[in-house]
Amino acid sequence: AISKNKDKDKETDKAELVDHLLWRVPELRENLTELCIEALKARNYGIVRRLILRDGALDKPEFKAAPLLEFLLAVTEDLPGDLYGAKRLPGEKSKPLTMMQKEKLSPAHRHAFEEKQSPWVVMLLDEKNQTCCLELASKYPSLHEKMISPTTILLAMVPKLSDVAHWLLKQGEDYVVKKKGGRGFAQFDDGQLVATIQEPNKDGATAWFRLQMDSESSKFVNYVTLNVPALSSISVFLTETHASRAADLIEESIRESGTENIISADEAMDLLRCEASDSYLKKMTWLQASCSPGAVVMESPHPHSKDTDLRQPVSIPGAKKIFVAFDDHTSMSRRTAVLSFLQRMSMNTDDDIPDGATTLADYSGAASDFPGGKNPPLEINGDSFDLRFFTRDSRPMWGYRFVAWSQGPRGWCKFAELMMSENKEAGRLCRHLISLNDDFRKHATGPMVELCLVTAAYNEQHANGALGVLERAGIVSSDHLSSGVIDTLLEKGGGGKSLWHLLVVANASAGLIKFLMAHPRLLKAMNSREMLLEAMSWTGGKVEGKRVNAALNLIETLPELPEGTLEELLKVKQEEEEEEDKKSLWEALVQEDKCVTIVQELLKREKGLAEPALAAVFSPGYTHLYERLTGWGVEVTDETVARLLSSGKWDELVLQEPWPLVRRLIDEHQALKNATLRPELLVRSMRSPASCSVAVKLIELARGRSNAVNVELGDKVLGTLLKATEFDNFEVMPCVNVVGLGSDHTQAGVLGLYRSSHVEIDIKKKRTITGKADERRCVYYQVGGDHVLWFKILDEDDDDDDDDDGGFGFEADNDSDDGSDGGFNFGGGDDSDDEDNDGDDNFGGADSGEEEGDEEGEVMDLDLRKEGGGDEKPDEAPDPEDQDGSWVITKIDCLGVHNLSPTDILVEVVDGELQPQKVQAVWAANEGKMKRLAGSGKGSAKAASCIMKESVAFRVLGAKKMTEQFKLGKGEVLLTQLVKEGLWVLVKLLQDMYGEKVKKHVTCCALQCGAKTKASLEECTDNMVGEEEIALLLEERTEGGTVWEDLLLNVKTEKLAIEMLESHKKLEEAASKPEMLLKLIQPATVNLAFMLVGGGSNLETDLDGDSLLEHSGFKSLVKYDVKKSFEKGNAGIGAVGRRMSTGKSSKVSTLIAKLVTKFPALESVRETVKKEEERRQIRDREKRARLAENVGLTSHLSGFGESPLLGFLKDKGVEVEQGVTVEELRIRVGIIIMDDQEGDNGGGGGDG
């Protein structure tokens, strides 16, 4: 009958069976009382409830009450822990309270829990038993008496059982009503219960406080608070956090008793007492803290001194806790300059800091490493601390400045904290407090008004709270403000700024400013140049909409700009460290999208700002703003043109900015056109591959003028083309280079360099980027062209059904396998030569997985002022960096157009993998579809980083900046560099301008660059090697030698030289001259030497044997022959190196034999060199064998790549021939290291 079953259905069936048997078998009813007792012992209260409530056991004649009452009231039980939240497994017996549960109680409360209790008390504490317990208590007075006793409810006065306590309290109240005819609670007749629940535990918290802080216990707490005078205090709820509970209690008190006198006089006095909570003190700004009573500001010299050891005590009398925050300018040399906070164990009158003082904190470095700002302040318990500033041979930096404070703003109190809160519940509470207490009402309409405005001026976060204070105080108009308050707002402080100045400039609450500026005196004070200039200034590159709207408010209220405003707007900030930051305030305003309305309003007021505005937009990266200014009626005047030309900005615009704008300005202003066609500018445009496309435009422009001008321009440029020079350094904004299509391709116009701008395209508009533009999806304008590359965000109504591979169904590796190496080919055609396949022509381009930067630049939305001022919400649209879309190349006219037709998009880049900063890349355009590449090793990219437009495929090759990609030769003729870069469109134009004067030089330059460049030249032009070209090749240069000699001696042009030898008799004759043959007799050019010298059965030359005896080339041939013989015979003994072909080795041996036969005197030279080389090879073989045994050294060297190994050998003066493998380099370095060790250790070797 009393057993439990875990299965609820089976338990129900069993209960039905017990009931059925119990009332049908008389013998079973004889032990009904015993059955109840056994169920109570097992705490199976379900059986007891069924017997008493359902079956009416108490009224049965067989039921015996005496044994049951004796059992229920016997003090035999420990309080079960599961009633108070202790976990119990199914079927497990209930456990007593744990030590952790008891530790939360006060001593008296804990004693009650540790005592033994009766089964009746345990039964009462289980909420499920309440109906059953009421039935028992109504039958037996002894049980009822225990139910309403203080000791019973004390066990329920914990958060977990507050509902049980409330029920027990109700029973005690009913008893008093029935027995005594009044109102009250039986449990609280004895003061001991109140004393127990108000006794603090070891943490200082009382049982009553824990109930008050428990939201689930609010029903019980409110009932007790309103009905038990000893517990009626609500001071704990009179805070911003619990304002809702306090307001509810006040309202409930009014409903029940019709009175509002729930706040005692002591509680009212406590609310108005001048003090601030720790949580508020931590949030105070620098201005608030420095102006608070007793605050101390301390600082070092600026910059701080070297070799300093300053010790100083700091105290704030009466402080319980001190807070410390540092100025944003604070900076000290890390590690060599340290600021320490210390605290003595006991204070004395001696100013010296004892050595035993405890170090609280040490600080050094930048402002971000110090308390204050975004970091919480330092907290120091007590009223004093000691300061030590120590520097040792440190680089002087700004130093430190900090404020130490312990109090809130003057006049601050708990009531002020409630009044300043923007919490609606705090407002509800304040309205009740003001209505029920005259002290609160007087404070709200008096000192609180000035306090709230002062606090709002010093702390922007309180601006809206101040507006709420005025509303709660019933001040409906600024005219109701006292003259004293207005005087306080207009009085200038230590920084020369009034509180009104701070409020207006911050504009933290547009509603507050609108309310206050209705006062005549405050409105008049807004006519201030300083106030207007500060509202338009910002720091850290971040423009806040509230500050912008503050400036607009000021401009609208001013009948005219204050005197001196124009001069201050145009003054350049010389104090900025970065050169790009040295601009005027007006220039910064014009270039900032958020300030567009300010700029427009100021242009209406002051016509003298028009010319400087144009100068600001004619800066690199900001020319897109020109259309905005012209839309406002700003025109380019002669003065503007003069400024552009005198400042040198015009040349930069021509070379860097979108060509359509440049062409428009040229057409409108003859002076700009004349300046554009200067020979110096044309030459400069050709001095960098980045601007060669501009050179094409300039030449086309020049050809449209008179012949006289052409002659003048041509004569000045031609001399520069044929002079040795260097390409200019390319230090500009990030760029994208698109190359690879043939010049006859229908989309060849998209090729070329695209320069980054400060523009980004949002859903339907352009917006200017501030911060790191190279890390955004910014717009790239084609240099010298009318195309633009930009990120088009996917329309919301477009179907986004692309697969992860971009819809192409293939993967693409970053390194092109079809010959497109990412060279710079602005005019189309093939890329630069790379005959030795060493990857040099890729200009160090990295794979698309390389990241250039981590920080994301900040994007500023165009600020459209909303009604009500600076309380606008942030743009809800996702950031462009987080939206899907594609990179497109279009005409500039299509930039930012929302719905583009397929014909408008010349190239589309479907690229989900590419990060914004990785657009700084070279794109190679290849005709035909891209084949699937096997594998996906390091540097590979997914298909999403490929581009497809009709039959044109693009591939992202790298993410290198342009300054790293232009690795150009030094001291070369400018024309040679143009040819080497494959700038065929420009080269062809130069040929058309100068005819044969340039054509023959172009051909010779192409020959110097190699066979591929020569083939590209012949494909793009009609240039051929003729008599004039041969004459130029054989022409003696001023510095000595000929171009033909360079071709013969250059390993990379060997094949081309052999081809030309076979085609041109004059070149063969020049190569066969004895002085040339002597230069060719060396291993590197043995093929040419064998062709010219050893090709026949005997030697038909005019070579001089004496010259060969002294010539090092013959000796190098012998050394090479011996070396190859050793390598062939000892291939397994570490002879690792570049394997020359058997044919070349054979030619070396044959050539040596023929030379010795022709000149017998060479035999002795051969034998001598051969013996020396054989001995050297034997020593080398032995060293290689020892190196192979030195596992430690070989293992160490295996971690080094080519660059450090070559650097080591260079430092040792060892020359390294071309083509040596990395493994061979490691062997050579290892041998040198072993030789050095043996020399240092006396030949004993070493393990270094």
Side-chain angles (χ1 to χ4, degrees):
I2 64 171
S3 63
K4 284 188 176 181
N5 198 309
K6 296 179 182 179
D7 190 324
K8 291 185 178 181
D9 293 335
K10 292 182 179 180
E11 176 69 18
T12 302
D13 293 341
K14 186 197 71 171
E16 294 293 338
L17 175 60
V18 170
D19 288 342
H20 180 81
L21 293 173
L22 190 61
W23 305 117
R24 286 166 178 75
V25 181
E27 291 81 356
L28 293 179
R29 291 198 297 273
E30 293 298 328
N31 57 0
L32 187 60
T33 304
E34 290 75 8
L35 182 61
C36 286
I37 292 174
E38 290 301 322
L40 288 169
K41 286 181 180 180
R43 291 180 183 160
N44 192 345
Y45 297 120
I47 297 288
V48 179
R49 291 194 296 270
R50 189 172 67 249
L51 290 173
I52 294 176
L53 299 178
R54 177 175 173 177
D55 301 328
L58 299 181
D59 297 326
K60 301 298 181 183
E62 298 87 355
F63 187 80
K64 304 177 182 63
L68 178 63
L69 293 176
E70 183 181 355
F71 171 78
L72 283 175
L73 295 176
V75 181
T76 58
E77 302 285 331
D78 289 318
L79 285 175
D82 54 327
L83 277 177
Y84 298 91
K87 293 183 179 180
R88 183 175 59 160
L89 298 175
E92 185 182 19
K93 291 185 177 180
S94 180
K95 296 179 181 179
L97 284 173
T98 63
M99 185 62 65
M100 186 177 296
Q101 288 174 308
K102 294 177 182 178
E103 283 179 351
K104 297 178 182 179
L105 306 174
S106 66
H109 205 182
R110 178 175 177 176
H111 177 72
F113 274 80
E114 289 176 341
E115 288 184 332
K116 294 284 187 180
Q117 303 295 333
S118 64
W120 173 239
V121 170
V122 175
M123 188 176 179
L124 286 169
L125 295 177
D126 192 335
E127 192 174 0
K128 297 178 182 177
N129 298 330
Q130 289 177 1
T131 306
C132 182
C133 288
L134 285 176
E135 183 68 19
L136 286 167
S138 65
K139 297 281 186 181
Y140 310 109
S142 59
L143 296 181
H144 185 270
E145 182 180 352
K146 187 62 177 175
M147 181 173 67
I148 61 173
S149 70
T151 56
T152 302
I153 196 172
L154 180 62
L155 299 175
M157 295 191 78
V158 292
K160 192 72 177 177
L161 296 183
S162 60
D163 287 341
V164 173
H166 192 204
W167 175 74
L168 291 172
L169 192 64
K170 280 284 190 181
Q171 308 315 310
E173 182 183 30
D174 292 343
Y175 172 78
V176 172
V177 171
K178 292 178 181 178
K179 296 296 183 181
K180 300 182 179 180
R183 195 173 179 192
F185 303 94
Q187 293 93 334
F188 286 99
D189 287 345
D190 183 1
Q192 185 60 39
L193 176 59
V194 174
T196 301
I197 63 174
Q198 288 189 326
E199 182 184 23
N201 63 7
K202 65 175 185 177
D203 296 325
T206 65
W208 179 237
F209 176 78
R210 290 176 58 218
L211 284 167
Q212 287 177 310
M213 292 298 100
D214 181 49
S215 58
E216 301 296 325
S217 305
S218 59
K219 181 180 178 182
F220 171 64
V221 170
N222 289 357
Y223 191 74
V224 172
T225 301
L226 294 174
N227 294 284
V228 180
L231 298 174
S232 62
S233 173
I234 66 168
S235 59
V236 71
F237 299 130
L238 297 176
T239 63
E240 181 181 1
T241 305
H242 304 291
S244 176
R245 295 280 301 276
D248 290 343
L249 279 167
I250 293 174
E251 292 171 359
E252 191 171 345
S253 173
I254 295 172
R255 284 195 301 269
E256 290 189 0
S257 60
T259 177
E260 297 177 342
N261 293 329
I262 192 173
I263 304 293
S264 66
D266 289 341
E267 288 174 329
M269 187 179 300
D270 183 62
L271 280 177
L272 295 174
R273 183 182 299 114
C274 290
E275 65 175 349
S277 64
D278 284 356
S279 61
Y280 183 79
L281 290 171
K282 291 179 185 178
K283 299 175 183 178
M284 288 172 61
T285 64
W286 176 278
L287 274 174
Q288 274 186 296
S290 59
C291 295
S292 64
V296 177
V297 176
M298 302 195 68
E299 57 187 313
S300 67
H302 306 300
H304 66 68
S305 306
K306 292 184 178 180
D307 301 321
T308 301
D309 191 358
L310 172 70
R311 302 175 181 229
Q312 187 174 2
V314 181
S315 66
I316 301 179
K320 296 180 180 179
K321 181 183 288 187
I322 298 176
F323 297 86
V324 177
F326 283 80
D327 188 277
D328 290 339
H329 294 88
T330 297
S331 63
M332 303 188 312
S333 300
R334 198 175 299 277
R335 292 184 297 276
T336 58
V338 180
L339 184 66
S340 301
F341 289 84
L342 307 99
Q343 198 165 45
R344 314 181 197 194
M345 300 303 293
S346 61
M347 294 301 298
N348 53 54
T349 58
D350 189 358
D351 288 341
D352 292 335
I353 301 173
D355 294 334
T358 303
T359 300
L360 302 175
D362 293 325
Y363 297 105
S364 183
S368 58
D369 299 319
F370 288 78
K374 293 183 179 180
N375 299 326
L378 172 66
E379 299 181 37
I380 301 175
N381 291 320
D383 63 353
S384 64
F385 61 88
D386 293 304
L387 189 71
R388 183 182 183 186
F389 182 48
F390 178 78
T391 64
R392 183 188 68 254
D393 193 27
S394 62
R395 178 169 62 91
M397 299 183 73
W398 192 85
Y400 68 84
R401 178 164 60 204
F402 68 82
V403 58
W405 75 98
S406 64
Q407 299 183 49
R410 196 176 305 276
W412 192 261
C413 58
K414 293 181 181 179
F415 180 63
E417 199 163 333
L418 284 172
M419 287 285 286
M420 291 292 291
S421 172
E422 296 180 47
N423 188 316
K424 292 182 179 179
E425 296 301 322
R428 181 162 67 101
L429 173 60
C430 287
R431 281 187 285 273
H432 284 306
L433 293 176
I434 292 171
S435 66
L436 64 85
N437 189 297
D438 286 340
D439 291 336
F440 291 136
R441 183 165 49 253
K442 292 176 182 178
H443 193 85
T445 56
M448 193 65 229
V449 174
E450 181 174 322
L451 177 61
C452 77
L453 294 176
V454 172
T455 305
Y458 288 153
N459 191 334
E460 297 178 13
Q461 297 178 357
H462 290 311
N464 285 324
L467 185 62
V469 169
L470 298 176
E471 182 269 325
R472 292 162 191 168
I475 300 176
V476 297
S477 170
S478 59
D479 293 334
H480 296 167
L481 296 175
S482 67
S483 58
V485 172
I486 302 300
D487 292 340
T488 300
L489 288 176
L490 295 178
E491 182 181 355
K492 290 188 177 181
K497 300 175 183 178
S498 66
L499 298 177
W500 178 232
H501 179 114
L502 298 175
L503 284 168
V504 171
V505 171
N507 195 31
S509 172
L512 179 63
I513 301 302
K514 185 178 180 180
F515 177 88
L516 293 174
M517 66 186 290
H519 195 284
R521 289 178 62 191
L522 297 179
L523 181 62
K524 182 180 179 181
M526 292 177 72
N527 189 359
S528 164
R529 181 186 66 188
E530 292 75 16
M531 197 180 292
L532 176 60
L533 290 174
E534 186 175 347
M536 294 188 294
S537 304
W538 61 88
T539 57
K542 184 176 182 180
V543 184
E544 297 180 357
K546 294 177 180 180
R547 291 285 289 271
V548 171
N549 291 337
L552 288 172
N553 285 336
L554 286 166
I555 294 171
E556 290 174 359
T557 59
L558 297 174
E560 58 183 19
L561 294 182
E563 184 179 353
T565 303
L566 179 62
E567 291 76 11
E568 291 296 326
L569 283 172
L570 299 180
K571 185 184 296 183
V572 177
K573 298 178 180 178
Q574 297 293 344
E575 67 275 7
E576 298 292 342
E577 295 183 2
E578 299 295 335
E579 191 64 32
E580 58 269 19
D581 293 335
K582 291 183 178 180
K583 57 176 69 172
S584 68
L585 175 58
W586 177 240
E587 186 176 359
L589 289 170
V590 172
Q591 293 174 354
E592 173 54 55
D593 258 359
K594 273 203 164 187
C595 300
V596 57
T597 314
I598 294 178
V599 173
Q600 188 174 14
E601 291 297 325
L602 289 176
L603 284 172
K604 292 177 182 177
R605 298 290 187 95
E606 183 56 64
K607 299 300 181 184
L609 292 173
E611 292 296 336
L614 285 169
V617 303
F618 286 147
S619 299
Y622 293 100
T623 52
H624 62 281
L625 301 173
Y626 177 69
E627 296 294 337
R628 176 186 294 170
L629 291 182
T630 55
W632 294 340
V634 179
E635 298 180 352
V636 176
T637 63
D638 292 341
E639 183 182 351
T640 311
V641 172
R643 282 193 181 187
L644 280 174
L645 296 178
S646 62
S647 65
K649 278 189 174 183
W650 176 245
D651 288 2
E652 302 303 322
L653 286 175
V654 173
L655 295 175
Q656 298 186 27
E657 295 306 309
W659 185 253
L661 172 61
V662 174
R663 186 58 191 256
R664 173 181 170 182
L665 292 171
I666 287 174
D667 293 341
E668 293 176 354
H669 303 278
Q670 185 63 39
L672 294 179
K673 189 169 188 178
N674 294 338
T676 305
L677 294 176
R678 298 186 342 266
E680 296 82 6
L681 185 56
L682 176 57
V683 170
R684 184 180 172 189
S685 68
M686 291 188 291
R687 285 175 56 84
S688 170
S691 55
C692 283
S693 54
V694 176
V696 173
K697 296 292 185 182
L698 294 179
I699 293 174
E700 291 175 347
L701 186 64
R703 292 172 67 183
R705 306 190 74 183
S706 66
N707 290 331
V709 175
N710 273 326
V711 171
E712 178 188 355
L713 182 67
D715 290 342
K716 291 185 178 181
V717 173
L718 180 59
T720 306
L721 282 173
L722 302 180
K723 286 183 180 179
T725 185
E726 294 181 13
F727 271 177
D728 289 340
N729 290 332
F730 191 80
E731 297 180 358
V732 293
M733 298 179 70
C735 301
V736 171
N737 199 25
V738 180
V739 298
L741 291 181
S743 58
D744 57 345
H745 195 277
T746 56
Q747 294 184 14
V750 304
L751 300 177
L753 187 71
Y754 290 74
R755 190 185 306 276
S756 171
S757 69
H758 291 281
V759 185
E760 188 172 45
I761 303 300
D762 204 341
I763 295 293
K764 294 183 180 180
K765 64 183 180 183
K766 303 177 189 177
R767 61 184 189 178
T768 302
I769 299 171
T770 58
K772 291 187 175 290
D774 58 330
E775 297 178 5
R776 306 293 302 179
R777 284 175 172 161
C778 52
V779 173
Y780 293 78
Y781 290 93
Q782 188 180 30
V783 177
D786 57 355
H787 295 95
V788 64
L789 167 68
W790 54 288
F791 189 81
K792 180 181 179 297
I793 297 174
L794 188 67
D795 295 342
E796 294 180 0
D797 53 352
D798 287 350
D799 292 329
D800 187 13
D801 56 357
D802 291 340
D803 297 327
D804 290 339
D805 63 356
F808 304 134
F810 56 80
E811 294 181 353
D813 192 83
N814 291 347
D815 298 322
S816 180
D817 63 341
D818 52 9
S820 86
D821 55 15
F824 295 91
N825 189 354
F826 293 87
D830 293 337
D831 300 335
S832 304
D833 292 358
D834 188 12
E835 294 190 13
D836 58 348
N837 296 320
D838 61 359
D840 289 343
D841 292 340
N842 201 14
F843 297 100
D847 58 74
S848 64
E850 179 179 350
E851 294 190 12
E852 292 292 336
D854 298 324
E855 295 183 83
E856 183 171 321
E858 184 153 4
V859 178
M860 299 301 173
D861 294 325
L862 180 63
D863 182 40
L864 299 178
R865 191 168 44 147
K866 299 178 178 61
E867 184 177 356
D871 297 327
E872 70 274 17
K873 295 182 179 179
D875 194 352
E876 296 180 357
D879 191 85
E881 302 305 297
D882 301 325
Q883 299 182 64
D884 294 330
S886 58
W887 291 93
V888 295
I889 295 179
T890 66
K891 293 286 188 179
I892 290 182
D893 295 342
C894 297
L895 177 62
V897 176
H898 189 48
N899 297 313
L900 290 173
S901 67
T903 56
D904 291 331
I905 301 176
L906 304 178
V907 175
E908 184 168 12
V909 186
V910 181
D911 192 345
E913 294 296 314
L914 198 63
Q915 296 296 318
Q917 63 268 32
K918 294 179 187 173
V919 182
Q920 304 167 36
V922 179
W923 292 355
N926 311 292
E927 294 190 62
K929 293 185 177 181
M930 301 179 70
K931 62 182 180 181
R932 184 181 181 88
L933 300 177
S936 58
K938 183 179 179 181
S940 64
K942 296 181 180 180
S945 56
C946 295
I947 310 161
M948 183 66 71
K949 174 66 177 176
E950 297 177 352
S951 62
V952 182
F954 285 60
R955 181 174 298 165
V956 177
L957 294 183
K960 290 287 186 182
K961 291 183 177 178
M962 298 297 292
T963 51
E964 297 171 357
Q965 289 179 7
F966 284 115
K967 296 182 178 178
L968 305 166
K970 295 183 178 180
E972 293 181 336
V973 173
L974 178 58
L975 186 60
T976 302
Q977 298 191 55
L978 298 178
V979 172
K980 179 190 288 186
E981 296 303 321
L983 305 172
W984 301 122
V985 174
L986 177 57
V987 170
K988 286 167 67 176
L989 283 172
L990 291 171
Q991 288 189 167
D992 293 343
M993 282 183 67
Y994 301 108
E996 293 299 328
K997 292 181 183 179
V998 167
K999 188 173 183 180
K1000 60 182 180 181
H1001 285 284
V1002 169
T1003 305
C1004 290
C1005 292
L1007 293 174
Q1008 286 180 281
C1009 294
K1012 284 187 177 180
T1013 304
K1014 175 177 176 291
S1016 298
L1017 174 67
E1018 293 174 349
E1019 180 184 343
C1020 298
T1021 68
D1022 58 355
N1023 291 31
M1024 302 294 291
V1025 179
E1027 292 300 321
E1028 290 193 15
E1029 284 74 17
I1030 291 175
L1032 188 59
L1033 287 173
L1034 297 177
E1035 182 181 314
E1036 188 76 18
R1037 293 177 300 202
T1038 306
E1039 65 271 19
T1042 65
V1043 175
W1044 176 235
E1045 287 183 17
D1046 295 343
L1047 289 174
L1048 290 171
L1049 296 175
N1050 190 345
V1051 176
K1052 292 185 177 182
T1053 57
E1054 182 183 69
K1055 293 180 181 179
L1056 179 61
I1058 292 174
E1059 177 186 328
M1060 295 179 69
L1061 279 172
E1062 296 172 347
S1063 306
H1064 302 282
K1065 189 66 176 175
K1066 287 183 179 180
L1067 297 179
E1068 184 181 4
E1069 292 174 356
S1072 300
K1073 291 179 179 180
E1075 59 270 18
M1076 191 66 237
L1077 286 174
L1078 280 175
K1079 295 179 180 179
L1080 292 174
I1081 295 176
Q1082 56 176 315
T1085 56
V1086 69
N1087 289 327
L1088 282 168
F1090 186 81
M1091 176 182 177
L1092 294 170
V1093 177
S1097 58
N1098 44 47
L1099 211 58
E1100 299 294 340
T1101 77
D1102 294 327
L1103 279 174
D1104 183 7
D1106 293 338
S1107 300
L1108 279 172
L1109 285 172
E1110 299 178 0
H1111 183 52
S1112 61
F1114 178 74
K1115 295 178 181 179
S1116 64
L1117 285 177
V1118 176
K1119 289 181 180 180
Y1120 176 82
D1121 189 43
V1122 173
K1123 180 181 178 182
K1124 289 302 165 184
S1125 298
F1126 266 80
E1127 287 184 359
K1128 185 176 180 182
N1130 302 287
I1133 314 179
V1136 182
R1138 184 181 182 183
R1139 294 287 187 260
M1140 304 285 284
S1141 66
T1142 304
K1144 188 169 185 178
S1145 301
S1146 176
K1147 288 178 181 178
V1148 171
S1149 301
T1150 303
L1151 183 58
I1152 293 172
K1154 288 183 178 293
L1155 289 172
V1156 171
T1157 302
K1158 177 70 175 177
F1159 306 105
L1162 293 175
E1163 178 63 32
S1164 61
V1165 176
R1166 180 175 71 169
E1167 289 302 320
T1168 302
V1169 173
K1170 181 178 179 181
K1171 289 179 181 179
E1172 291 177 355
E1173 184 63 21
E1174 285 177 344
R1175 286 195 296 269
R1176 196 187 70 79
Q1177 290 292 332
I1178 291 171
R1179 290 196 305 270
D1180 185 68
R1181 182 177 63 183
E1182 292 173 351
K1183 291 178 180 179
R1184 288 172 182 265
R1186 292 206 314 273
L1187 178 63
E1189 296 174 357
N1190 193 336
V1191 179
L1193 181 56
T1194 54
S1195 175
H1196 177 69
L1197 289 173
S1198 65
F1200 291 91
E1202 183 179 17
S1203 296
L1205 295 171
L1206 287 173
F1208 178 88
L1209 293 171
K1210 182 179 179 181
D1211 292 341
K1212 293 292 183 179
V1214 178
E1215 294 185 3
V1216 180
E1217 64 272 21
Q1218 292 184 355
V1220 178
T1221 64
V1222 176
E1223 184 60 33
E1224 174 65 15
L1225 291 175
R1226 293 192 182 111
I1227 291 172
R1228 296 185 187 183
V1229 170
I1231 290 173
I1232 293 174
I1233 292 175
M1234 287 197 308
D1235 289 345
D1236 291 344
Q1237 290 175 348
E1238 291 171 0
D1240 293 340
N1241 298 326
D1247 59 354

